Each structure stands twice: as C-alpha cells, then as structure tokens.
Amino acid sequence: MNDLLQTIEPVTLMGPGPSCVDASVLAALSKPTLGHLDPYFIKIMDTIKQQLKTLLHTRNELTLPISGTGSAGMECCFVNLIEKNDPVLILINGVFGRRMQDVATRLGAKVDTLEFDWGTPVIVDVVQKELSKKSYKLVAVVHAETSTGVLNPVPGIGALLKDKDTLFLVDAVTSLGGMEILMDDWGIDVFYSGTQKCLSCPPGLSPVSFSPAAVAALQARKTKVPNWYLDLSLIMNYWEGATRAYHHTAPVNMLYGLYQALGLILDEGESHVFERHMAAHLQLVRELDLLGLRMQVDASCRLPMLNAVCIPEGVDDAEIRTRLLSEYKIEIGGGLGPLAGKIWRIGLMGHTARPENVDKLIQALAAVLPDRTGN
Ligand SMILES: Cc1ncc(COP(=O)(O)O)c(C=O)c1O
C-alpha cells in the first residue's frame, strides 16, 4: 500500500462530522467493485431505498441517495423544485440556513428569509405570522443546525403548512440517524441528509426523499431542471423500475458502505440508537459542568449529537483543538461565523456517541485546559 495510507493513524472524530466509522462499514467499502448495472448491485440499491424509507418513516417512492455530500442533496432538492421567481421562505439561524438562501437565490427564486439569533431556535409563531401574510411555493428549514447545536421545531412548522399548497423542505444532514424523523407524519415534502454524521459512513452520499406532492411539483415544471447531474427525473430511471437506465456511474463501493451503515442502525434498533445519543450527550454535559465548562444553547433546544460549548475567557481556541488532535488524537470543531472563537462544537454522532468516547475527551480536556482555579 502507498506510504501515506500506511501511516494514517485513527482519530476519534468528535467534531461536526465526519464521525467515527465502524470497522464493518470500512470493510464494506473494500468489497469487490461490481458494475453499476449488475443485477446483484441493483439488489443492494433496492435494499438501500427500503432502509432509508424505514429510517425516515416515509412511504415516498422517490427516496434514494444522491452521489455527493450533503450540499449536493441541498442543491438537488432546490434545483428540482425551484423555477425563476418562485416565492420561497427560508428560516435561518445558522450557516446551513444561510447556505440554502444562497442556493435558492442562485436559481432565481424570490427568496424571503426569517432570521433568528444564532444559538436560538426558529420560533413557530413568527413563522405562522409570516405565512398568514404571504403564500410560498416552498418553506425550508434546517432540522439540526450544526453550526450552533440548535434543534429547530420541524413538527411545529410542518403543522403550519399542513393545509397549504406549500412544499416543506427539511435539511436533516445532522439529525438523520441520531434522532427520530417522521417524514410523513411531520408533513415534510422534501428531505435531504448526508452520510458522514449520525449515519457514521464516510462522506460522499446524500439521502433525499420527495413526497408525492414534491414529485407532482417536479413533474409540473414549466422549464427543464437546470442541472443535468442532479435532475431527479433522469436519476429516477436508474433507481426505479424493472429495467434500469444508465445516468451516471454510481459510486458503487460508497453505496456498499451506506448499505452496511444503515443496516447497523436498523439492527441496533432506532430507539436504542437515539437513546445512546441522548445518554452520551447528557453524560458530556454533566462532565463538562464538572470541568467548569458551560453549554452555549439552552437545554430546551440542544441537539444531542452536536454540543456547542462556550470557550472560557482567556482560553486559546485553536491551541486546545490542536493539542487534542496532536496529543490525544481527538478532533473537535471550532465555531463558525459569529461563533468562531466563542464555541467548540463537540460531535457525538452515530458510532462516536458512546460513553468511552465522552470519558476520553473529558480526560483529555482536563489535561489540556489551563487550571482556572488559581492553584
Ligand atoms: C446541517 C447541514 N447541512 C448541510 C451540510 C453540508 O453538507 P456537506 O458538508 O456534506 O456538503 C452540513 C455539513 O456540515 C450540515 O451540517
């Protein structure tokens, strides 16, 4: 094997993603590559669709992984549904809501935004007020805002849109696999996620799902989807039906990895997986508190899988993260945008969400943090 690969040392990935990957998923990636139209591979593709439908709690036929990371899923959802001048409302309280605004604006949508303070959730009443004034083709929100560690009230927003002719788009890049998602019950029409967070698969695929209403909107477009690679009306012909038509060469081995990662979650049992995330989160909060570290986000809307921790005054953000990585082989994340230098982002995602990893991080933090007791 080439030298650079020989000397990769494992890192405990406790940042905002990627997360630790189980050995069985890494082994799946190295299985023999099959042709992308091989009937055996198509069996694996069909199973992945079923696994995703199970985890999303959806009956949506159009449920499949897009080739590309979470941002490709984001682009895919917008590019398939938005045409020039379509009115779109984006609820923003962090980096990824802002990215959705950028993507929708580039497509020529008429984008309105409701902005909420970073570190606080979207307020359903504020959204309701806006929806009573104007109707939108699509409303979009990030379920788990990875840049701040905030959980947004997706079921509450979905309930507002229930009887409206408005599509509800949800970014679940960080939440899928770490907390319950009831796509159909919550009235979500358009969904995308990513593999490298709570699914604990390496980055490279983005599960998406479109409800019948979203598929109808795609079919009712007046103009062609302006992006060939992400055009779901073409991709569908490869992922559905008795005969499969080549669209692009599927990332075959990545899909083996996703198949294995989804299988691990479903075998462990969703509720067990979600409880494991919550238990690791509560343990982390408890133990950080003993070190004198405070959480940035109010307990009522904290994400279990992404913990925003206030960096104490006088502590050098970059130095601590560099020492954790070089001396303890632990990666945590820094803050983004207005929170840069103010918070650490500690991920407890998927395979990483285990008590032994929390212990390891707490011991390392205790060793690298300056003694603030004055002793
Ligand atoms: C909530 C959210 N949305 C979208 C993305 C973009 O995903 P990717 O970096 O895989 O393209 C991320 C990545 O961190 C994210 O956390």
Side-chain angles (χ1 to χ4, degrees), residues 16 69-72 74 96 99 142 144-147 171 173-174 192 194 196-197 203:
T69 64
S71 305
M74 185 190 290
F96 296 102
R99 188 175 297 181
V142 177
E145 210 359 302
T146 328
S147 60
D171 170 322
V173 170
T174 283
Y192 65 89
Q196 77 273 23
K197 313 265 187 184

Side-chain angles (χ1 to χ4, degrees), residues 288-289 291-297 302 308-312 372:
L288 286 173
D289 188 52
L291 286 182
L293 293 170
R294 282 192 314 105
M295 302 297 286
Q296 158 84 8
V297 173
R302 277 178 202 156
V309 180
C310 300
I311 301 175
R372 290 174 300 120

Side-chain angles (χ1 to χ4, degrees), residues 28-66:
L29 294 169
S30 66
K31 289 285 176 193
T33 303
L34 292 175
H36 61 284
L37 290 166
D38 185 308
Y40 196 88
F41 178 61
I42 287 169
K43 248 196 248 177
I44 295 176
M45 292 166 63
D46 288 347
T47 309
I48 291 171
K49 285 198 296 185
Q50 275 313 321
Q51 290 171 314
L52 286 173
K53 284 165 77 170
T54 303
L55 197 53
L56 269 59
H57 293 268
T58 186
R59 288 183 296 279
N60 295 341
E61 279 310 315
L62 181 46
T63 302
L64 51 83
I66 290 291

Side-chain angles (χ1 to χ4, degrees), residues 111-124:
V111 181
D112 288 343
T113 60
L114 284 176
E115 307 257 351
F116 301 86
D117 288 341
W118 289 36
T120 70
V122 167
I123 300 166
V124 175

Side-chain angles (χ1 to χ4, degrees), residues 13-19 146-147 174 196-197 305-306 331-334 336 345-347 349:
L13 295 167
M14 304 188 78
S19 59
T146 328
S147 60
T174 283
Q196 77 273 23
K197 313 265 187 184
M305 70 285 285
L306 195 287
E331 178 180 276
I332 65 167
L336 296 177
R345 292 182 302 147
I346 299 178
M349 297 180 176

